[in-house]
Amino acid sequence: TLKQGLECQKQGLLNQAVVKLEKAKLVAQSADEQTQISGALGRTYYQFHQYELAKPLLEKAYQNSGGLQKADYANLLGNLHNNQHEN
Protein backbone atom coordinates (compact mmCIF):
# COMPACT_ATOMS: atom_id res chain seq x y z
CA THR A 1 0.00 0.00 0.00
CA LEU A 2 0.95 3.65 -0.24
CA LYS A 3 1.27 3.87 3.53
CA GLN A 4 3.66 0.91 3.66
CA GLY A 5 5.73 2.33 0.82
CA LEU A 6 6.02 5.70 2.53
CA GLU A 7 7.03 4.03 5.78
CA CYS A 8 9.78 2.08 4.02
CA GLN A 9 10.90 5.30 2.33
CA LYS A 10 11.13 7.10 5.70
CA GLN A 11 13.20 4.24 7.10
CA GLY A 12 15.59 4.36 4.13
CA LEU A 13 14.46 0.96 2.85
CA LEU A 14 14.33 2.21 -0.71
CA ASN A 15 14.22 -1.16 -2.48
CA GLN A 16 11.25 -2.21 -0.37
CA ALA A 17 9.63 1.19 -0.90
CA VAL A 18 9.82 0.78 -4.68
CA VAL A 19 8.26 -2.69 -4.54
CA LYS A 20 5.40 -1.56 -2.30
CA LEU A 21 4.76 1.65 -4.25
CA GLU A 22 4.80 -0.13 -7.62
CA LYS A 23 2.21 -2.60 -6.26
CA ALA A 24 0.14 0.27 -4.84
CA LYS A 25 0.22 1.98 -8.24
CA LEU A 26 -1.43 -1.05 -9.81
CA VAL A 27 -4.40 -1.01 -7.44
CA ALA A 28 -4.84 2.73 -6.82
CA GLN A 29 -8.46 3.66 -7.33
CA SER A 30 -8.57 7.44 -7.25
CA ALA A 31 -6.71 10.13 -9.17
CA ASP A 32 -5.54 11.60 -5.86
CA GLU A 33 -4.09 8.26 -4.81
CA GLN A 34 -2.34 7.89 -8.19
CA THR A 35 -0.83 11.36 -7.74
CA GLN A 36 0.44 10.56 -4.25
CA ILE A 37 1.92 7.27 -5.41
CA SER A 38 3.56 8.89 -8.43
CA GLY A 39 5.14 11.51 -6.19
CA ALA A 40 6.35 8.98 -3.64
CA LEU A 41 7.70 6.64 -6.29
CA GLY A 42 9.35 9.51 -8.16
CA ARG A 43 10.99 10.70 -4.94
CA THR A 44 12.26 7.18 -4.24
CA TYR A 45 13.74 6.81 -7.72
CA TYR A 46 15.29 10.26 -7.29
CA GLN A 47 16.95 9.06 -4.08
CA PHE A 48 18.34 6.12 -6.08
CA HIS A 49 19.69 8.60 -8.68
CA GLN A 50 17.42 6.92 -11.23
CA TYR A 51 16.53 10.27 -12.74
CA GLU A 52 15.09 8.88 -15.99
CA LEU A 53 12.55 6.89 -13.94
CA ALA A 54 11.91 9.69 -11.44
CA LYS A 55 11.25 12.50 -13.91
CA PRO A 56 7.94 11.38 -15.51
CA LEU A 57 6.52 10.36 -12.13
CA LEU A 58 7.46 13.67 -10.51
CA GLU A 59 6.10 15.60 -13.50
CA LYS A 60 2.79 13.75 -13.22
CA ALA A 61 2.61 14.44 -9.48
CA TYR A 62 3.49 18.10 -10.07
CA GLN A 63 0.80 18.52 -12.73
CA ASN A 64 -1.90 16.95 -10.57
CA SER A 65 -1.17 18.52 -7.20
CA GLY A 66 -1.45 21.95 -5.66
CA GLY A 67 -0.18 24.13 -2.87
CA LEU A 68 2.84 23.11 -0.86
CA GLN A 69 2.92 19.66 -2.44
CA LYS A 70 3.19 21.21 -5.90
CA ALA A 71 6.05 23.41 -4.65
CA ASP A 72 7.81 20.35 -3.23
CA TYR A 73 7.57 18.55 -6.57
CA ALA A 74 8.79 21.67 -8.40
CA ASN A 75 11.81 21.76 -6.10
CA LEU A 76 12.55 18.07 -6.70
CA LEU A 77 12.23 18.54 -10.46
CA GLY A 78 14.63 21.49 -10.32
CA ASN A 79 17.14 19.45 -8.34
CA LEU A 80 16.70 16.54 -10.73
CA HIS A 81 17.40 18.83 -13.69
CA ASN A 82 20.55 20.16 -12.03
CA ASN A 83 21.76 16.66 -11.15
CA GLN A 84 21.21 15.40 -14.68
CA HIS A 85 23.33 18.22 -16.12
CA GLU A 86 26.14 17.78 -13.59
CA ASN A 87 26.69 14.14 -14.50
Side-chain angles (χ1 to χ4, degrees):
T1 66
L2 173 60
K3 185 177 177 180
Q4 292 171 329
L6 292 173
E7 189 58 38
C8 288
Q9 189 183 51
K10 284 182 193 175
Q11 294 176 15
L13 304 171
L14 301 181
N15 285 321
Q16 290 178 21
V18 166
V19 169
K20 291 185 184 304
L21 292 168
E22 287 286 0
K23 286 182 182 178
K25 191 166 101 171
L26 295 174
V27 298
Q29 301 202 358
S30 70
D32 184 53
E33 194 175 13
Q34 281 285 344
T35 298
Q36 290 177 30
I37 293 166
S38 292
L41 196 50
R43 181 183 304 278
T44 304
Y45 282 130
Y46 175 84
Q47 291 173 300
F48 266 129
H49 304 276
Q50 296 292 316
Y51 303 131
E52 67 284 350
L53 296 173
K55 186 177 179 182
L57 292 163
L58 291 172
E59 287 174 340
K60 179 180 177 183
Y62 172 81
Q63 291 169 356
N64 295 315
S65 61
L68 292 176
Q69 195 63 55
K70 188 174 193 99
D72 183 45
Y73 294 134
N75 185 51
L76 275 172
L77 285 165
N79 290 339
L80 186 148
H81 177 78
N82 289 335
N83 288 332
Q84 282 182 312
H85 292 288
E86 287 177 3
N87 296 325

